[in-house]
Amino acid sequence: MTDTVKIFDTTLRDGEQSPGCSMNLEEKLRVAAQLESLGVDIIEAGFAIASEGDFEAVSQVAKQCESATVASLARAATADIERAWAAVKHAKFPRIHTFIATSPLHMRVKLNKTPEEVLAAIEHSVSLAASLCPDVEWSAEDATRSDPDFLCRAVEVAIKSGARTINLPDTVGYATPETYGAMFRDVLNRVPNADQAIFSTHCHNDLGLAVANTLAAVMAGARQVESTINGIGERAGNAAIEEIVMALKVRHDVMPFRTNAVTTEITRASRLISGITGFQVQPNKAIVGANAFAHESGIHQDGMIKDASTYEIMTPESVGLNASNLVMGKHSGRAAFRQKLEELGFRLGDNEFQDAFVRFKALADAKKAVYDEDIIALVDDEVLRGHDVIQVKEVEVYCGSNGPQRAILTLEVDGKETTVTSKGNGPVDALFNAIRMIVPHDQSVLERYEVHAVTGGTDAQAEVSVLLSEDGRTVRGRGAHYDTMVASARAYVNALNKLMVKRGKSNLNEASAG
Ligand code: KIV
Ligand code: ZN
């Protein structure tokens, strides 16, 4: 058995499926490019049948990727599988990933099928997928709550029908490392044709065990791990790629496996995802949290000065974290800015570059020091709203202890500018009321409003994140600016644009896959 563990990234599918994490086409293409730089082996680009937008995203990612396999998810249904193939067939290395639930609860309540009917569906769906695509993965949804005998039968049928990767997900995050590892050992030992497939893990983090379970399955024989950047995903999320990859690297002594991941790309990938989704990583998050390499106590600092290995089991550089250095300022020109963007992993078109440069100059004039984090926030903000139908043009806010606070706002909607004045209980309320006056959306609820300073200092850029919900759909918008009110307007309007895209998406509740 090989010692290489393949990395299957599902940030664009399972990650994107979580509330507030939806991404537009441009964002997905940027994420896919970064995932290739990170060296992931397989990118699950979406669920092609879920909507026109998902189909387009999977197709475009398939066309763009040069080294990674590109997969689309599909239920065990002819239309799903044909749609998945239509989207991934553009890829150099296409994969159809089809699934059906195998636990008694899911088969009875969700599918309303007998176990025999589920076996027939596996045979039909996998055979169809294999007749279209040379690379087929099959998943037993809710594998960890399935009857072990039935699970073995299902896996055997899937392999016989042409699946070459078998994924056994812990869909509800119920497993423990012992039980999850034991399930893999059991299936690998008992299924007669198990040697014809690679076994894969897919763990959700409901009990905080997703990474531990993943590693236990690798120890038991799995050679593909499904995971997401920053662990984003349904409910408590999926297993985090960066944690799995670094655990395998740092503890190679007890887990003698390798991956193709380029670990120095981890920080960039993490920042890209938190920038796009607005999901900030908790400061004490392993590997990519702001404090992951910070040493506060005197004893630790003393040890670090003498020898970093006293308190660091891996170097910050090994995950692509270089100390934030001041390199850009108001005298930096286009060439330096372009070089900086390349260093930070941005590939901008001419118009985007021009817009970003104008904003960089304005920022450099307003702020004493421009750090890498500032440039990342600024460019993310600029690129994110390129195709937004609603754009923020001007913001003026009057605030202070003598209310009522007022906002004068100009938005461009479909190319037409409108200006309104509104009042509110505080400047943010006044501003958001103004947005509501121009673009009425009474059914939407503002679930959350968060402000985060990109760097230290009172002149730091504000990064604002807004969560809007409507009819069970949740979207997250973000905006960055050195004026917190401008950042707030941009974040709210970004969310509104995403909501409009979501309204256009077909509702696939019954298709939702954890
Ligand atoms: O969690 C899960 O079971 C899934 C499958 C569709 C792979 O996401
Ligand atoms: Zn899942």
Side-chain angles (χ1 to χ4, degrees), residues 2 26 34 51 160 193 222 272 314 369 411 489:
T2 166
E26 216 166 336
Q34 180 55 33
S51 69
K160 208 165 161 190
N193 51 4
L272 180 65
M314 59 199 140
L411 293 185

Side-chain angles (χ1 to χ4, degrees), residues 229-344:
I229 303 292
N230 295 344
I232 65 169
E234 289 275 2
R235 306 182 309 278
N238 289 58
I241 288 188
E242 60 277 7
E243 295 180 22
I244 298 168
V245 164
M246 291 314 288
L248 290 176
K249 188 177 163 109
V250 173
R251 297 310 312 271
H252 192 261
D253 55 334
V254 288
M255 295 181 286
F257 309 103
R258 58 174 298 277
T259 70
N260 292 320
V262 180
T263 62
T264 48
E265 291 291 328
I266 284 177
T267 300
R268 195 170 292 170
S270 167
R271 285 181 178 165
L272 180 65
I273 292 301
S274 51
I276 287 176
T277 61
F279 270 50
Q280 295 300 329
V281 169
Q282 77 200 51
N284 60 331
K285 159 96 173 57
I287 318 294
V288 291
N291 291 351
F293 294 93
H295 303 274
E296 178 75 25
S297 92
I299 296 174
H300 287 206
Q301 286 178 348
D302 181 53
M304 285 294 295
I305 291 164
K306 290 178 176 140
D307 181 343
S309 65
T310 51
Y311 287 102
E312 269 181 9
I313 57 170
M314 59 199 140
T315 62
E317 290 77 19
S318 67
V319 299
L321 184 69
N322 301 310
S324 183
N325 44 354
L326 174 64
V327 284
M328 302 295 288
K330 64 179 171 187
H331 300 298
S332 307
R334 275 190 173 69
F337 186 58
R338 193 181 287 282
Q339 192 181 328
K340 187 77 208 167
L341 291 182
E342 271 165 26
E343 265 173 38
L344 294 173

Side-chain angles (χ1 to χ4, degrees), residues 75-77 81 98-100 111 113-128 138 157 161:
R75 287 166 297 184
I81 290 167
T98 181
F99 75 99
I100 193 164
L111 301 175
K113 283 192 194 304
T114 64
E116 294 309 316
E117 286 170 332
V118 168
L119 291 179
I122 296 170
E123 188 179 355
H124 171 260
S125 56
V126 176
S127 311
L128 173 62
W138 176 76
V157 170
S161 308

Side-chain angles (χ1 to χ4, degrees), residues 33-275:
Q34 180 55 33
L35 291 172
E36 282 209 300
S37 304
L38 180 59
V40 310
D41 301 281
I42 302 112
I43 296 174
E44 185 164 55
F47 194 174
I49 203 166
S51 69
E52 282 303 318
D54 272 43
F55 179 82
E56 187 57 18
V58 179
S59 312
Q60 296 295 334
V61 170
K63 285 178 190 157
Q64 174 182 285
C65 282
E66 284 170 5
S67 53
T69 294
V70 178
S72 170
L73 190 65
R75 287 166 297 184
T78 303
D80 275 51
I81 290 167
E82 287 176 347
R83 196 78 176 135
W85 173 240
V88 295
K89 69 177 182 197
H90 307 286
K92 277 199 182 119
F93 309 103
R95 175 179 290 190
I96 296 177
H97 175 196
T98 181
F99 75 99
I100 193 164
T102 51
S103 67
L105 181 66
H106 278 227
M107 289 192 288
R108 191 181 72 246
V109 176
K110 211 179 74 170
L111 301 175
N112 195 20
K113 283 192 194 304
T114 64
E116 294 309 316
E117 286 170 332
V118 168
L119 291 179
I122 296 170
E123 188 179 355
H124 171 260
S125 56
V126 176
S127 311
L128 173 62
S131 72
L132 299 170
C133 183
D135 182 353
V136 176
E137 170 169 341
W138 176 76
S139 286
E141 193 188 11
D142 208 16
T144 49
R145 294 190 298 169
S146 301
D147 169 65
D149 293 342
F150 181 68
L151 184 61
C152 286
R153 283 178 69 201
V155 168
E156 187 178 349
V157 170
I159 296 175
K160 208 165 161 190
S161 308
R164 288 296 162 262
T165 304
I166 297 293
N167 182 34
L168 303 179
D170 184 24
T171 304
V172 291
Y174 178 69
T176 66
E178 286 72 21
T179 61
Y180 199 54
M183 180 183 73
F184 276 82
R185 271 188 208 96
D186 189 44
V187 175
L188 280 163
N189 284 334
R190 287 172 55 195
V191 171
N193 51 4
D195 59 332
Q196 293 171 30
I198 289 179
F199 279 71
S200 172
T201 73
H202 179 111
C203 297
H204 282 267
N205 204 28
D206 300 65
L207 293 174
L209 294 172
V211 172
N213 289 341
T214 300
L215 296 174
V218 169
M219 296 295 279
R223 290 294 177 270
Q224 176 180 288
V225 290
E226 304 199 354
S227 43
T228 60
I229 303 292
N230 295 344
I232 65 169
E234 289 275 2
R235 306 182 309 278
N238 289 58
I241 288 188
E242 60 277 7
E243 295 180 22
I244 298 168
V245 164
M246 291 314 288
L248 290 176
K249 188 177 163 109
V250 173
R251 297 310 312 271
H252 192 261
D253 55 334
V254 288
M255 295 181 286
F257 309 103
R258 58 174 298 277
T259 70
N260 292 320
V262 180
T263 62
T264 48
E265 291 291 328
I266 284 177
T267 300
R268 195 170 292 170
S270 167
R271 285 181 178 165
L272 180 65
I273 292 301
S274 51

